[in-house]
Amino acid sequence: MKAPITLFALAIALAPAAQSAVLLTAGLVAPAVGVDDQASLNDLAAIPGGTFNSQAFSDNAGPPGQSFTTGSAANYTLTAFSYKGAATGSGNYGGFTGATWGIRVSSVAGVDLTPIATITGIAHPTGTINGNEWFTWSFSGTDLLVLNGSTTYSFEAYSTVGYLGFDASDTTTAYAGGTAFNTTSPARTFNTTILQDRLYDRTFIANLAVVPEPSALVLVAGLGLLHCGRRRR
């Protein structure tokens, strides 16, 4: 004899499943930069030269990183992070058949990173890609991250196969709230100590949305109840 279906069990069965995904896309149009976003749009259209050349690629040690500092609101949601590619020749992009990506978001204190999210298995974008596009990791569902205000964080990314060079600024003052860096990890892995400040910024955009204060949410809910009461009368 089958057990009766309770209302609680029925509610669980009918509830929508939580969605968890990070979507990587590539496009020539730069993502919009809002008032709460952090960005460095200075664009060399080339891989940074000199000592740190190899550290700008998705397959080298350690993964290309960029730190950024949130604004003065209490909390922000990180909705997307973008790097600009810099394919100035076939040697800067290729070999991505079957590739997936790994990313990590960490809080930063001095030269130490405290990971708050590490996500792997992100599919490489489909279609024709030249490598000079904006590569954007968009967060949704349970992968949405809430960041504290006035706090420094970092984003890193690597590809499991293939190589992509990321664009950068040409000055050390392009973005005051952070810097390009690489960790001490071997290729395609993450570590928790920054190897060295690269003395430039990658061309990046961190899309941030302010999380409403609890008092604001209570006010909105109260206004909604008041409106419903008036309609009932």
Side-chain angles (χ1 to χ4, degrees), residues 64-176:
Q66 173 70 41
S67 58
F68 61 95
T69 302
T70 54
S72 58
N75 297 107
Y76 296 85
T77 299
L78 178 64
T79 60
F81 195 97
S82 303
Y83 277 146
K84 176 77 162 52
T88 55
S90 61
N92 290 342
Y93 176 82
F96 277 96
T97 302
T100 61
W101 286 78
I103 61 171
R104 181 173 70 169
V105 179
S106 306
S107 61
V108 180
V111 295
D112 295 319
L113 306 178
T114 301
I116 59 176
T118 302
I119 303 168
T120 58
I122 302 167
H124 189 67
T126 58
T128 301
I129 299 175
N130 296 315
N132 61 339
E133 294 86 356
W134 281 90
F135 291 80
T136 299
W137 291 264
S138 299
F139 298 83
S140 63
T142 57
D143 286 326
L144 282 168
L145 301 176
V146 176
L147 309 182
N148 297 327
S150 303
T151 303
T152 301
Y153 292 91
S154 66
F155 179 90
E156 301 163 88
Y158 70 84
S159 56
T160 55
V161 296
Y163 49 93
L164 168 64
F166 292 115
D167 207 341
S169 68
D170 56 357
T171 69
T172 60
T173 58
Y175 174 70

Side-chain angles (χ1 to χ4, degrees), residues 44 46-57 60-61 92 166 168-170 182 196-200 202:
L44 274 177
I47 306 301
T51 306
F52 308 136
N53 179 284
S54 65
Q55 304 297 334
F57 283 84
N60 287 84
N92 290 342
F166 292 115
S169 68
D170 56 357
N182 298 91
Q196 189 169 350
D197 180 334
R198 293 309 181 200
L199 304 179
Y200 60 78
R202 306 193 197 280

